[in-house]
Amino acid sequence: MIEDLQERIESAIPEAVVEVSGEGNRFEIRVVAQAFEGLSRVKRQQAVYAAIGDLISSGAVHAVTIRALTPAEAG
């Protein structure tokens, strides 16, 4: 599941660096992408949710914690 989440997010957000950790159906996702520049925290998270929404609705993923950062914020 970790690889599936990572691939979906990388496909949806160009040039994103994606790190996924977790087990069962609970995951922590860190995404660093230039595409987040100028977007609010909510808009950034919505972009990530859009890539994995079907997994959440199906119950395959129950809980996610998302950190969506620009490269400058990630340091």
Side-chain angles (χ1 to χ4, degrees):
M1 180 61 67
I2 288 175
E3 289 177 8
D4 189 22
L5 288 167
Q6 187 169 348
E7 288 171 7
R8 286 169 178 254
I9 296 165
E10 288 172 347
S11 293
I13 303 171
E15 300 180 24
V17 176
V18 182
E19 298 172 10
V20 181
S21 61
E23 58 187 12
N25 59 2
R26 299 174 185 270
F27 299 94
E28 293 182 15
I29 301 170
R30 182 176 190 261
V31 183
V32 178
Q34 189 63 42
F36 294 147
E37 189 68 45
L39 296 180
S40 69
R41 187 176 64 124
V42 171
K43 292 287 185 190
R44 295 174 185 192
Q45 290 186 352
Q46 286 174 338
V48 177
Y49 278 120
I52 60 171
D54 62 320
L55 295 174
I56 294 170
S57 7
S58 74
V61 173
H62 175 69
V64 293
T65 301
I66 297 172
R67 293 195 61 219
L69 309 166
T70 65
E73 293 167 339

